Amino acid sequence: MSNSTSESSQGDLGNYIAGQFTAVDPSLTRLDDRNPATGELLATVPLSGSAEVDVAVVAARAAFPAWRSTPPMVRARAVMKLREALDANRDELARLVTTDMGKTFDDAFSEVGRGIESVEHACSIPVLMKGENLEGIARGVDVDLIRQPVGVVAAITPFNFPAMIPLWFLPYAIACGNTFILKPSEQDPLTSMRIMELVDSIEEIPNGVVNLINGGRDAVEGLLEHPGVDAISFVGSAATARIIASRSAENGKRCQALGGAKNSMVLMPDADPKLMVNGVLGSAFGAAGQRCLAGSIAVLVGSEAEQDRTLALVTEAAAKLVTGNGADPATDVCPLVTPASRERVEGEIAAAEADGCSIVLDGRRDGGAAGAELGPTIIDGAGPDHKLIREELFGPVLAVTRAKDLAEALEFVNGSRYGNASVIFTSSGGHAREYRFGVEAGMVGVNVGVAAPVAWFPFSGWKDSIDGDLHANGDDAVRFYTRTKVITSRW
Ligand code: NAD
């Protein structure tokens, strides 16, 4: 529990270490954290380095022996208190997500709800952590498997789900008896700081069990290099995931690194038009396309006339979406996280145009109050190896490609190096079954635009969308945050 909250959630941010909101060395570089819709300066974020990381690791190591000896049901009760605190502050947390990251309030409210579901799942840790045994593997000899915490674990998280993704890790890590360090995105850390205030208010979570370091690459380097960190959970772009995974391996750390995506939506001519259009728009343009589950390619299936009809339906509806401030209830498409992100994505649209692609719907505009707004954009005619088809843009841009039948569509989808998610819209059970059997993606939607994570199941990206084998959430979370010990006994 903290005595001082002077450096807590807003203003010049510090870190949260050993139950204290601590100021940092004034010589550290600071980044401005601005509201993406208005440009208002919300806070400055220190770029902590290995010295700050070391203080957090020392605190987490000191807290570990007592915490791992705390009975699992007592740890679970502490996590239940966290669940209550998050739920009681759900509106405020959602508003903070909108202010800091930009997404609409409804979207932010759902995000916080999904994060709370991970906390709810972690409350079952006395069941989830149970071991196995086999009596009499030899005469008078029994074998028991028990699960023990890994030690000090760290999570490095991205900007696009500032509430949910830290909660994919924190509750499971501590429920399993580990102590935890969060390094949130330096672009929007305010929700994580608020979560630390809630953690701080819970007496049953002792000082040092949960810590937070603000920063960017240097802080991550510090965590990867520190011998006192036993495991790293990461979510972010595929390129960073690969760096984190290989550096963790070099340094002997357990690692799960969830990376980027390029998700296709297969639109069969037999799909229910309303279900399909709503699903496609929500997936491609919700959160301005800044979701790892965003459908960024529409695969139009059928005859040329059927393909054109599907494209016309989607384009007509997308043209009606309202782009603006996520805090405005009328907004469908929120700003990108920074004006620089908008400029980058607009650059990709211009490059596609220069390459001869056809801009079916052009969302380029003046950028709004803070210069981060970009409307829904649909681009047809990119070839199979075009960047628009192969790489993640992370903006409200839907690329269109065509396939004569489901087999051809599947071949296209499975040609991607990513396998985070894929969805199909169809009214045929046979098509749906063929798709779910054959598609090389870990999160699959059938008549669902965003195959969103459900805490009781692992978030199952495949291929270059993950480095590591255990995913976030579900049983995988418990496997990642525990080590198995097998005891053979003769009495
Ligand atoms: P990012 O990779 O830029 O940053 C993620 C985290 O890594 C941040 O905390 C950042 O400080 C740190 N980081 C960035 N570059 C680093 C480097 N070179 N070395 C060490 N640390 C570094 O990702 P982002 O832009 O914040 O998030 C968007 C990306 O995250 C998208 O690619 C999206 O698909 C992906 N994502 C994936 C999932 C998933 O479940 N697979 C979920 C959400 C987001």
Side-chain angles (χ1 to χ4, degrees):
M1 299 281 288
S2 157
N3 299 321
S4 128
T5 52
S6 60
E7 294 279 343
S8 56
S9 62
Q10 310 239 343
D12 290 338
L13 302 186
N15 294 323
Y16 177 65
I17 299 176
Q20 298 286 326
F21 289 95
T22 54
V24 294
D25 181 343
S27 68
L28 286 181
T29 306
R30 285 184 170 271
L31 296 181
D32 288 348
D33 175 11
R34 293 183 182 276
N35 180 326
T38 63
E40 179 200 354
L41 181 65
L42 301 171
T44 69
V45 186
L47 296 183
S48 302
S50 52
E52 289 74 24
V53 166
D54 185 57
V55 180
V57 176
V58 167
R61 285 237 82 88
F64 178 60
W67 186 242
R68 70 157 288 205
S69 306
T70 302
M73 44 289 275
V74 177
R75 296 198 302 257
R77 279 182 212 124
V79 176
M80 284 177 209
K81 289 254 165 105
L82 176 61
R83 189 258 168 222
E84 294 308 302
L86 291 164
D87 193 49
N89 291 279
R90 187 167 166 179
D91 260 52
E92 186 207 337
L93 287 163
R95 267 196 300 279
L96 208 44
V97 170
T98 297
T99 308
D100 205 9
M101 181 272 168
K103 67 179 66 171
T104 63
F105 178 79
D106 283 355
D107 201 7
F109 194 76
S110 304
E111 168 182 349
V112 176
R114 287 186 190 282
I116 290 174
E117 286 181 1
S118 294
V119 185
E120 288 168 352
H121 184 218
C123 291
S124 321
I125 215 67
V127 176
L128 298 172
M129 261 184 94
K130 273 165 43 177
E132 300 167 14
N133 54 57
L134 185 63
E135 191 180 48
I137 55 108
R139 283 188 198 287
V141 177
D142 303 327
V143 175
D144 297 276
L145 176 150
I146 58 173
R147 292 191 172 277
Q148 296 190 331
V150 175
V152 173
V153 302
I156 300 157
T157 55
F159 80 83
N160 64 331
F161 284 95
M164 179 184 77
I165 292 184
L167 294 174
W168 280 359
F169 304 114
L170 189 165
Y172 295 105
I174 67 169
C176 289
N178 302 282
T179 53
F180 180 77
I181 302 170
L182 174 64
K183 205 299 285 172
S185 170
E186 64 275 38
Q187 299 193 66
D188 54 4
L190 295 184
T191 315
S192 291
M193 289 300 279
R194 182 70 188 119
I195 291 172
M196 290 303 121
E197 289 179 348
L198 298 177
V199 165
D200 192 62
S201 70
I202 298 167
E203 269 176 39
E204 290 81 355
I205 303 179
N207 292 343
V209 169
V210 176
N211 308 275
L212 179 147
I213 290 285
N214 274 308
R217 197 182 290 199
D218 288 350
V220 175
E221 277 295 317
L223 290 165
L224 288 168
E225 286 296 319
H226 203 297
V229 176
D230 298 296
I232 304 263
S233 299
F234 170 85
V235 182
S237 62
T240 321
R242 188 54 56 87
I243 296 170
I244 303 287
S246 59
R247 296 289 306 287
S248 295
E250 275 166 27
N251 292 325
K253 299 187 196 308
R254 182 179 285 211
C255 179
Q256 52 179 185
L258 284 68
K262 189 76 196 176
N263 307 313
S264 289
M265 298 182 283
V266 172
L267 312 183
M268 300 300 291
D270 60 20
D272 176 277
K274 200 167 163 207
L275 203 59
M276 176 187 73
V277 169
N278 285 341
V280 168
L281 296 194
S283 186
F285 306 123
Q290 299 169 112
R291 293 187 187 129
C292 67
L293 292 176
S296 52
I297 306 177
V299 187
L300 312 176
V301 183
S303 67
E304 212 171 298
E306 286 169 328
Q307 294 171 1
D308 289 345
R309 195 190 61 206
T310 302
L311 180 57
L313 278 174
V314 171
T315 307
E316 196 184 309
K320 293 185 187 139
L321 294 177
V322 177
T323 302
N325 186 336
D328 181 343
T331 296
D332 299 303
V333 183
C334 69
L336 291 165
V337 68
T338 57
S341 303
R342 179 192 56 83
E343 278 162 31
R344 178 184 56 77
V345 178
E346 280 196 1
E348 299 294 348
I349 298 170
E353 200 171 20
D355 291 341
C357 300
S358 131
I359 314 291
V360 180
L361 182 66
D362 194 342
R364 287 171 287 184
R365 48 184 32 234
D366 70 2
E373 289 174 19
L374 176 61
T377 299
I378 300 178
I379 305 179
D380 196 1
D385 297 322
H386 197 277
K387 193 173 175 191
L388 209 56
I389 297 290
R390 291 293 157 209
E391 292 306 327
E392 185 178 47
L393 296 194
F394 230 51
V397 179
L398 180 65
V400 170
T401 189
R402 291 153 192 269
K404 69 174 184 314
D405 55 24
L406 181 54
E408 202 174 286
L410 255 175
E411 195 184 334
F412 167 81
V413 174
N414 290 345
S416 175
R417 74 181 179 101
Y418 299 107
N420 217 36
S422 186
V423 305
I424 185 169
F425 284 90
T426 180
S427 56
S428 154
H431 286 150
R433 191 173 187 284
E434 187 179 339
Y435 198 71
R436 59 183 272 170
F437 179 79
V439 70
E440 292 174 6
M443 303 293 286
V444 177
V446 176
N447 296 320
V448 166
V450 179
V454 177
W456 293 265
F457 295 85
F459 184 104
S460 289
W462 283 17
K463 296 162 88 174
D464 278 359
S465 296
I466 186 164
D467 287 305
D469 52 355
L470 292 173
H471 301 85
N473 281 316
D475 289 347
D476 277 19
V478 179
R479 292 203 188 97
F480 185 76
Y481 286 130
T482 56
R483 293 184 287 196
T484 51
K485 189 179 270 181
V486 175
I487 303 143
T488 306
S489 317
R490 188 201 309 268
W491 290 98

